[in-house]
Amino acid sequence: SQQGEEDPQALSIQEGENATMNCSYKTSINNLQWYRQNSGRGLVHLILIRSNEREKHSGRLRVTLDTSKKSSSLLITASRAADTASYFCATVDYGNNRLAFGKGNQVVVIP
Amino acid sequence: EAQVTQNPRYLITVTGKKLTVTCSQNMNHEYMSWYRQDPGLGLRQIYYSMNVEVTDKGDVPEGYKVSRKEKRNFPLILESPSPNQTSLYFCASSLGTPYNEQFFGPGTRLTVL
């Protein structure tokens, strides 16, 4: 089942601005992962946050996780044209071995 | 270089003609899976494998088969392709379990006429 749902679906920003996207899920999770996909290419892993973590940073990326609200956010600071891509969250339910992806957020960074 | 490879990258075929999309990884990963990506539907898991000879259905397994005879290979078989299987297909692998970082192949764009 498709568990992760990102919001908003499409975002257009100027270079240098911050981009924030959200993901909600329905069940208990072990961790939540964010991936980036450049047009038509394979997904690339960005960051993983475990269920007992609330915030994690990696370079210009900041991820938060609120297990009480079953939601996560991905913040990209000081965006660059190269950040133009689709961003997906993914979760694995406890009790099965299936990784479920959201429908993705398309982010366009205008130079 | 650690990678997941898929072949072919592009394929146009006709309804009913059996085809196989190969997937191979060189990272000694236990977990491998197949996804299809369609506009507006995101990525949906077709099949996954926890290890050699262990496979299981994902969310959309109908019309597909897989096998895992060797750890590095996980081919996707379409016995009788239909136009609704026109899609972008991705293979992925991870160390141990699906809880870990997934490494994706470059994708196979399949068109069934």
Side-chain angles (χ1 to χ4, degrees):
Chain A
S1 61
Q2 199 81 355
Q3 176 163 250
E5 291 287 342
E6 294 89 353
D7 173 57
Q9 299 294 306
L11 185 64
S12 184
I13 57 174
Q14 295 288 331
E15 200 166 31
E17 293 180 338
N18 296 342
T20 301
M21 57 209 88
N22 300 306
C23 166
S24 60
Y25 57 92
K26 295 184 175 70
T27 62
S28 295
I29 59 171
N30 176 280
N31 64 50
L32 186 143
Q33 303 174 37
W34 284 92
Y35 289 81
R36 183 187 72 227
Q37 183 184 33
N38 293 96
S39 182
R41 297 191 172 192
L43 279 72
V44 174
H45 183 265
L46 293 176
I47 195 164
L48 181 155
I49 186 165
R50 302 189 190 287
S51 60
N52 62 354
E53 297 176 310
R54 291 297 166 259
E55 188 171 313
K56 198 163 183 179
H57 297 256
S58 176
R60 293 183 297 110
L61 303 179
R62 173 177 168 254
V63 169
T64 62
L65 180 64
D66 187 335
T67 53
S68 67
K69 295 181 180 177
K70 291 187 167 55
S71 68
S72 173
S73 67
L74 172 67
L75 168 68
I76 304 173
T77 60
S79 63
R80 304 167 181 168
D83 294 328
T84 294
S86 292
Y87 293 83
F88 295 85
C89 68
T91 58
V92 180
D93 293 354
Y94 275 115
N96 71 48
N97 294 308
R98 307 214 303 249
L99 188 63
F101 284 84
K103 292 185 172 57
N105 267 285
Q106 188 174 2
V107 175
V108 175
V109 181
I110 302 164
Chain B
E1 180 191 354
Q3 61 183 345
V4 178
T5 57
Q6 293 178 227
N7 282 292
R9 296 289 315 282
Y10 302 91
L11 179 60
I12 300 174
T13 189
V14 295
T15 298
K17 186 177 181 181
K18 182 180 177 179
L19 67 91
T20 299
V21 184
T22 64
C23 171
S24 183
Q25 49 91 8
N26 62 0
M27 295 168 280
N28 203 36
H29 285 170
E30 289 80 11
Y31 188 86
M32 297 185 74
S33 57
W34 277 102
Y35 299 87
R36 59 177 290 174
Q37 185 176 29
D38 302 288
L41 296 176
L43 278 89
R44 294 177 292 168
Q45 192 176 55
I46 303 171
Y47 269 95
Y48 66 92
S49 169
M50 294 295 292
N51 212 323
V52 176
E53 302 292 359
V54 181
T55 62
D56 209 343
K57 296 176 180 178
D59 296 312
V60 288
E62 295 77 21
Y64 304 94
K65 284 175 58 176
V66 293
S67 68
R68 187 90 181 274
K69 294 184 171 59
E70 305 165 283
K71 199 171 186 180
R72 62 184 296 128
N73 297 323
F74 190 45
L76 180 69
I77 303 155
L78 285 72
E79 295 268 4
S80 183
S82 63
N84 65 11
Q85 293 178 298
T86 292
S87 187
L88 180 58
Y89 291 87
F90 289 102
C91 179
S93 73
S94 64
L95 186 65
T97 74
Y99 297 120
N100 295 323
E101 173 186 353
Q102 300 294 309
F103 291 81
F104 279 80
T108 295
R109 190 167 290 280
L110 173 65
T111 301
V112 183
L113 301 174

